[in-house]
Amino acid sequence: MREGWPPPAKPLDRAHVPSASQPALSLMSDTGLQAIFLANRDRLLRFLAAHGAGDAAEDLLQELWIKVSTGTPGPVAQPLSYLYRAANNLMLDRYRSVRQAAKRDSDWSAAETDGADRAQDPVGERPLIAREHLRIVQEALDGLGERVAFAFRRHRIDGVPQKLIARELGVSLSTVEADLRKAYRALIDVRRRLDEV
Amino acid sequence: MAMNQDPHAVDEQALAWVVRVRDRDFDDWEAFEAWLATAPGHAGAYHRLAIADQDLSDILPVEAPAPLPERRFGRRWAWSAVAAVGVAMLAGLVTVRTSIETPQHYQVATRAGERRTVTLEGGTTILLNGGSAVMLDRKDSRFAELKQGEALFTVRHDTAHPFAVQVGGDRLVDVGTRFDVVRTANEMRVAVAEGAVVYNPAADKLALGQGDMLRVAAGVAVRGKVAPEQVGGWREGRFVYSGEPLSRVAEDLSRYAGARVEVSPDLAGQPFRGVIFVADPSRLEELGPLFRAHVQRRGSGWLISRR
């Protein structure tokens, strides 16, 4: 038992708690983000153009504006970086949908020719397959050495900033970057092979 | 750059950008843009690899991985853990405390101003406030250690396996619940929104029910009351005070806003009563009238001082 127990029932006892339904003060976040968007409109447009958005750049910027105006991102620590990242994600989504449309077309012609349908895998096998994939991934990472495997896990799974990983390992940031490139290269390769099976 | 149009070189550069941009601290967007704009093939190479990176999610373990395949893996990870500790000791001052990571234990941490949800097996979620860290156990999804900062635990109760939270030398064990825990350099606070927790079941056996809070500092525990619906209000940037000193308000704001908020010594002890709703942490100066004080930027942080 701690000393001083039972405690002197003070300052926090019988705390009066005011209602939160009427916030005493409200600092608006969305308008803040919108202001930063407007102040950096041209930069964001340039960024989308550099991404190869071409004629769609203005439309994508419009889409970004709608996201900024209607989404509720909550407080944003680095607003400009947040907007750049959102723009980057828009470009990736666009690339993905273009690619999928192309893939659907080619799948269609493939199905015409051999009639195979991979979507009919029994559902019960999925967990087994997932576990098998994990094992293969693990082996691929192990094969790259423990430092690479550690850096990759901390970065990709634990979400730790690369600068911190470098500090944890006592190496430079560029070494961590090189390690991560190595890991990505290997895993993208693994992924490609799994897709071919 | 213009000389580097060999496809392999472009591919290698694109991968380097995927790795850099992926870092949550990345902010060199102009350099990235310059590279993208250098040659028409750059954007395509980046898109291809960035999508391949996203697609890896299907074959990678999620945030809190299931127990890893046994084998020799343990020892390899231990090596890294030793290295990490060594570096932490050499560095002397590490801003984010690195703790001993073993293959079994792993840490999830947030920077100040960042929030993050961790979902554990069995339906427990931990919402981490900014500047906080928990150590988790790959082999035991019913345990978490709060290393620093604040976390809101929502626990699916399982009588056979109660969920335990270690906070320094203290332990909280749930009885099916949602509760918020804060750990600072000199105190621990817990507030219960739903259900109940037991404080130090082995020693104090103190049961805390809905609306109870407990503050332990310098070996003295003080019990108090809190409106259950206010527990974890920081999720929405909402803070409720009923006479806590401004120093405590500043501490909460620091964790939430991602910038150090200080109070001048003459105001630190002044009690504050009211509700603060912070939707934009970059505009804390608007809190001034509420505190009847000046809130000004100072360096990268804020100072609350007499006006």
Side-chain angles (χ1 to χ4, degrees), chain B residues 220-296:
Chain B
V220 177
V222 178
R223 200 172 171 154
K225 283 283 174 197
V226 61
E229 66 276 12
Q230 308 293 6
V231 174
W234 54 265
R235 276 176 303 176
E236 293 109 27
R238 195 183 64 228
F239 302 88
V240 183
Y241 301 98
S242 45
E244 285 88 339
L246 272 181
S247 57
R248 158 76 192 284
V249 178
E251 178 199 295
D252 288 344
L253 289 174
S254 301
R255 201 157 37 231
Y256 185 79
R260 194 168 168 73
V261 182
E262 286 174 293
V263 198
S264 64
D266 55 327
L267 282 183
Q270 180 171 303
F272 177 70
R273 192 176 277 274
V275 180
I276 301 175
F277 181 70
V278 183
D280 183 354
S282 67
R283 285 162 56 195
L284 293 185
E285 73 273 8
E286 296 184 14
L287 292 171
L290 198 63
F291 298 149
R292 296 201 182 81
H294 266 310
V295 181
Q296 296 163 295

Side-chain angles (χ1 to χ4, degrees), chain A residues 83-161:
Chain A
L83 291 172
Y84 267 117
R85 192 171 289 284
N88 202 56
N89 289 342
L90 270 183
M91 286 308 297
L92 291 179
D93 291 349
R94 180 165 176 270
Y95 178 87
R96 182 185 285 280
S97 60
V98 167
R99 194 190 62 164
Q100 265 160 0
K103 187 169 178 298
R104 258 197 310 280
D105 290 348
S106 70
D107 280 359
W108 178 251
S109 36
E112 291 276 272
T113 48
D114 68 13
D117 189 352
R118 288 180 52 185
Q120 283 178 359
D121 287 347
V123 175
E125 283 181 12
R126 293 264 169 80
L128 268 179
I129 293 170
R131 214 168 302 155
E132 178 65 7
H133 285 181
L134 272 184
R135 191 186 59 77
I136 294 169
V137 165
Q138 204 61 72
E139 274 178 4
L141 279 176
D142 282 357
L144 297 171
E146 49 255 84
R147 195 187 67 206
V148 174
F150 178 84
F152 183 77
R153 174 168 288 276
R154 293 294 277 159
H155 161 70
R156 176 69 199 230
I157 295 153
D158 299 341
V160 172

Side-chain angles (χ1 to χ4, degrees), chain A residues 1-33 43 46-48 50-52 74-82 84-86 88-89 91-93 95-96 99 130 133-135 137-139 141-143 145-147 149-164 166-171 173 176-178 180-185 187-188 190-191 194, chain B residues 8 11-12 15-16 19-27 29-30 32-33 36-37 43-44 46-63 65 68-69 71-73 76-77 79-81 83-85 87 91 94-96 98 101 106-108 111 113 115-116 138 170 199-200 203-204 206 213-216 219-227 230 238 240-242 244 248 256 273-281 283-284 286-287 290:
Chain A
M1 190 59 63
R2 291 177 180 280
E3 212 182 308
W5 192 272
K10 249 174 236 114
L12 293 169
D13 212 358
R14 292 191 313 275
H16 161 72
V17 180
S19 156
S21 56
Q22 294 283 20
L25 186 68
S26 166
L27 305 180
M28 276 316 297
S29 67
D30 291 352
T31 51
L33 202 54
R43 288 170 81 169
R46 263 204 317 275
F47 181 67
L48 290 168
H51 255 297
V76 174
Q78 306 286 346
L80 186 56
S81 204
Y82 173 90
Y84 267 117
R85 192 171 289 284
N88 202 56
N89 289 342
M91 286 308 297
L92 291 179
D93 291 349
Y95 178 87
R96 182 185 285 280
R99 194 190 62 164
H133 285 181
L134 272 184
R135 191 186 59 77
V137 165
Q138 204 61 72
E139 274 178 4
L141 279 176
D142 282 357
E146 49 255 84
R147 195 187 67 206
F150 178 84
F152 183 77
R153 174 168 288 276
R154 293 294 277 159
H155 161 70
R156 176 69 199 230
I157 295 153
D158 299 341
V160 172
Q162 291 167 18
K163 228 184 260 173
L164 182 59
R167 211 184 291 156
E168 287 178 348
L169 287 168
V171 298
L173 180 58
V176 169
E177 287 180 350
L180 291 176
R181 284 200 298 275
K182 223 184 274 177
Y184 274 114
R185 195 56 87 193
L187 291 180
I188 289 171
V190 164
R191 173 73 212 230
L194 289 174
Chain B
H8 291 295
D11 206 53
E12 203 47 40
L15 186 60
V19 166
R20 255 173 252 156
V21 171
R22 228 190 165 287
D23 191 1
R24 48 195 178 109
D25 282 351
F26 177 79
D27 62 359
W29 297 98
E30 285 180 351
F32 178 43
E33 179 187 320
L36 285 172
Y46 170 78
H47 293 154
R48 207 164 39 247
L49 285 164
I51 292 287
D53 162 27
Q54 288 181 356
D55 285 347
L56 286 180
S57 303
D58 302 349
I59 57 166
L60 290 176
V62 284
E63 228 165 47
L68 294 162
R71 300 185 306 125
R72 65 245 140 91
F73 200 66
R76 298 174 148 235
W77 283 90
W79 175 86
S80 305
V85 174
V87 172
V94 259
T95 43
V96 178
T98 37
E101 296 229 8
Y106 63 105
Q107 179 167 299
V108 181
R111 291 170 302 161
R115 268 156 293 282
R116 189 156 177 208
R138 288 194 165 88
D170 294 320
Y199 171 71
N200 286 343
D204 304 319
L206 177 68
M213 67 121 90
L214 185 76
R215 181 169 152 249
V216 185
V220 177
V222 178
R223 200 172 171 154
K225 283 283 174 197
V226 61
Q230 308 293 6
R238 195 183 64 228
V240 183
Y241 301 98
S242 45
E244 285 88 339
R248 158 76 192 284
Y256 185 79
R273 192 176 277 274
V275 180
I276 301 175
F277 181 70
V278 183
D280 183 354
R283 285 162 56 195
L284 293 185
E286 296 184 14
L287 292 171
L290 198 63

